[in-house]
């Protein structure tokens, strides 16, 4: 496999007046899987298509190793591409679909068949090479599409929401399979998705995009636990927003929800918004608590306790099954801090009204 380092420098792309990519830069090492994550219209698919040569850039450059491929056509870029739709040739078997790119490159029949067998084994379909697309499940078809992309020994692998057409259980199984194959082959990979769980589960690094800009690039743990911006904090995972006043340089007092210790100094007396995840909060029943438990939602392995403060603000607290036994809707409760806050934002940086408990698609 001809692995290479992928380097994107200042990519710019406009669709009319819309700035789809705004100075987008990224470097991916050989063997690394980077997930581009963001809402619809954030530019993640445009970035992938620009790397593939399917979109003409308005600025910036694309390199594989030290070779500038910005102006090269798609066919000469040596990219393996897997899209949402499997797009298998219905008149060809799985093995013949995998061989197709090699046939176009005039690789001999014996070598094509050998390569096809290797890749069918790699993706766990070694005994299904003679089946046509309509004889394969959705997950099996996508594995064939992955094997076909790898057959030409690409320098870079591009995956554009490859699991979105599959049901939830198959998605989990196949994402693990894609991760295994990608690591075994050792190829630089861009994986585009809007699914946070998918991104956190398989990425070496995640690039969170918003309006054509890379808001943050980091490991899954960094993106989740140490978001660099308000957008990243609210897009990845669940987050509460609680308003309060700085009473000491490192303490924020919130109405009804108690005091929060923060990581850095702020101006005493300043109005701020504290962003904190449900699992970073705790809850206990108290006779004189200023908050009330208004709802309990069962999530399988845990509960979500919905708590309303005296000013009407609602927060959600993650509660274990053991802790839930002591809680009843209508209880007067108090909230306490279990872990570090994500961000503390001065009120003049906080935008328009945002739900106190935000969860992205």
């Amino acid at each position: 496999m001809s692995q290479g380092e992928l380097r994107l420098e200042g990519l710019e792309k406009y669709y009319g007046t819309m700035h789809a990519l705004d100075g987008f830069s990224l470097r991916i090492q050989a063997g690394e899987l980077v997930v581009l994550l963001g809402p619809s219209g954030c530019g993640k698919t445009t970035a992938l298509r620009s790397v593939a040569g399917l979109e003409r850039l308005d600025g910036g450059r694309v390199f594989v190793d030290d070779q500038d491929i910005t102006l090269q056509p798609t066919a000469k870029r040596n990219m393996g591409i897997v899209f949402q739709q499997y797009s298998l040739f219905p008149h060809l078997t799985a093995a013949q679909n995998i061989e197709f790119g090699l046939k176009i490159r005039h690789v001999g029949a014996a070598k094509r068949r050998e390569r096809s067998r290797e890749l069918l084994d790699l993706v766990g379909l070694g005994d299904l090479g003679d089946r046509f697309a309509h004889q394969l499940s959705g997950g099996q078809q996508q594995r064939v599409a992955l094997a076909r992309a790898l057959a030409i020994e690409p320098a870079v692998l591009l995956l554009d929401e490859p699991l979105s057409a599959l049901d939830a259980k198959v998605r989990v199984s196949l994402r693990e399979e894609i991760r295994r194959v990608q690591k075994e082959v050792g190829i630089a990979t861009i994986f585009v998705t809007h699914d946070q769980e998918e991104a956190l589960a398989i990425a070496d690094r995640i690039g969170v995009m918003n309006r054509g800009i890379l808001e943050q690039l980091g490991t899954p743990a960094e993106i989740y636990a140490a978001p660099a911006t308000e957008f990243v904090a609210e897009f990845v995972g669940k987050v509460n927003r609680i308003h309060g006043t700085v009473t000491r340089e490192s303490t924020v007092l919130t109405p009804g929800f108690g005091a929060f210790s923060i990581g850095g100094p702020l101006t005493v007396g300043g109005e701020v918004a504290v962003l904190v995840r449900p699992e970073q909060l705790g809850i206990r029943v108290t006779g004189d608590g200023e908050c009330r438990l208004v709802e309990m939602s069962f999530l399988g392995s845990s509960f979500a306790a919905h708590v309303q403060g005296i000013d009407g603000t609602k927060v959600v607290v993650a509660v274990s099954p053991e802790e839930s036994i002591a809680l009843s809707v209508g209880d007067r409760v108090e909230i306490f801090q279990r872990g570090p806050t994500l961000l503390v934002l001065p009120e003049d940086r906080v935008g328009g009204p945002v739900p106190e408990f935000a969860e992205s698609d």
Side-chain angles (χ1 to χ4, degrees), residues 84-85 142 160-167 171 194 198:
Q84 297 179 35
Q85 302 302 321
Q142 196 63 301
D160 185 11
E161 303 208 44
L163 308 180
S164 61
L166 304 172
D167 64 58
R171 279 204 310 269
H194 65 274
E198 200 166 87

Side-chain angles (χ1 to χ4, degrees), residues 113-333:
R113 286 194 294 270
E114 179 185 359
R115 181 72 176 144
S116 177
R117 285 195 298 268
E118 290 175 354
L119 287 168
L120 282 167
D121 287 339
L122 183 66
V123 299
L125 299 176
D127 57 344
L128 301 181
D130 293 333
R131 292 194 183 183
F132 292 91
H134 71 275
Q135 297 173 314
L136 299 171
S137 68
Q140 289 169 340
Q141 289 184 56
Q142 196 63 301
R143 291 185 190 204
V144 174
L146 176 61
R148 183 176 60 185
L150 293 171
I152 61 172
E153 299 190 2
V156 176
L157 180 62
L158 306 175
L159 306 173
D160 185 11
E161 303 208 44
L163 308 180
S164 61
L166 304 172
D167 64 58
K169 190 171 183 179
V170 175
R171 279 204 310 269
V172 171
S173 174
L174 192 51
R175 80 188 183 200
E176 294 171 355
E177 192 71 9
I178 287 175
R179 176 65 168 173
R180 178 189 66 78
V181 170
Q182 186 267 338
K183 284 304 173 188
E184 187 167 333
V185 173
I187 185 172
T189 301
I190 293 179
F191 188 116
V192 165
T193 185
H194 65 274
D195 188 313
Q196 303 167 29
E197 180 182 327
E198 200 166 87
L200 293 168
I202 69 171
D204 291 312
R205 289 187 296 161
I206 297 173
V208 182
M209 295 189 66
N210 181 30
R211 298 180 180 179
I213 295 172
L214 191 62
E215 291 254 343
Q216 185 175 357
L217 179 66
T219 66
E222 289 168 346
I223 295 293
Y224 187 82
T229 68
E230 179 182 1
F231 175 83
V232 175
E234 293 188 329
F235 184 78
V236 180
K238 304 176 179 68
V239 67
N240 295 292
R241 177 182 292 214
I242 307 173
H243 299 271
T245 304
V246 181
T247 57
R248 295 196 300 272
E249 285 188 352
S250 60
T251 303
V252 174
L253 184 63
T254 63
F257 296 109
F260 284 83
S261 298
I262 59 177
L266 288 174
T267 303
V268 174
E271 298 296 316
V272 297
V274 177
L275 272 59
V276 59
R277 298 209 185 279
E279 65 268 22
Q280 295 169 326
L281 297 174
I283 181 174
R284 53 182 163 240
V285 178
T286 175
D288 57 356
E290 295 181 311
C291 307
R292 189 173 298 277
L293 179 61
V294 295
E295 183 182 348
M296 288 283 286
S297 302
F298 180 56
L299 304 178
S301 60
S302 64
F303 287 80
H306 299 250
V307 178
Q308 182 169 310
I310 55 175
D311 63 350
T313 299
K314 291 182 181 178
V315 302
V316 176
V317 181
V319 176
S320 70
E322 294 76 19
E323 292 172 315
S324 70
I325 296 172
L327 299 173
S328 299
V329 172
D331 284 344
R332 296 178 69 86
V333 297

Side-chain angles (χ1 to χ4, degrees), residues 13-42:
K13 178 64 182 177
Y14 288 89
Y15 295 112
T17 59
M18 187 184 77
H19 207 171
L21 292 176
D22 186 0
F24 182 81
S25 296
L26 178 64
R27 176 175 291 192
I28 303 177
Q29 303 292 331
E32 184 181 25
L33 192 156
V34 171
V35 172
L36 297 183
L37 176 67
S40 298
C42 71

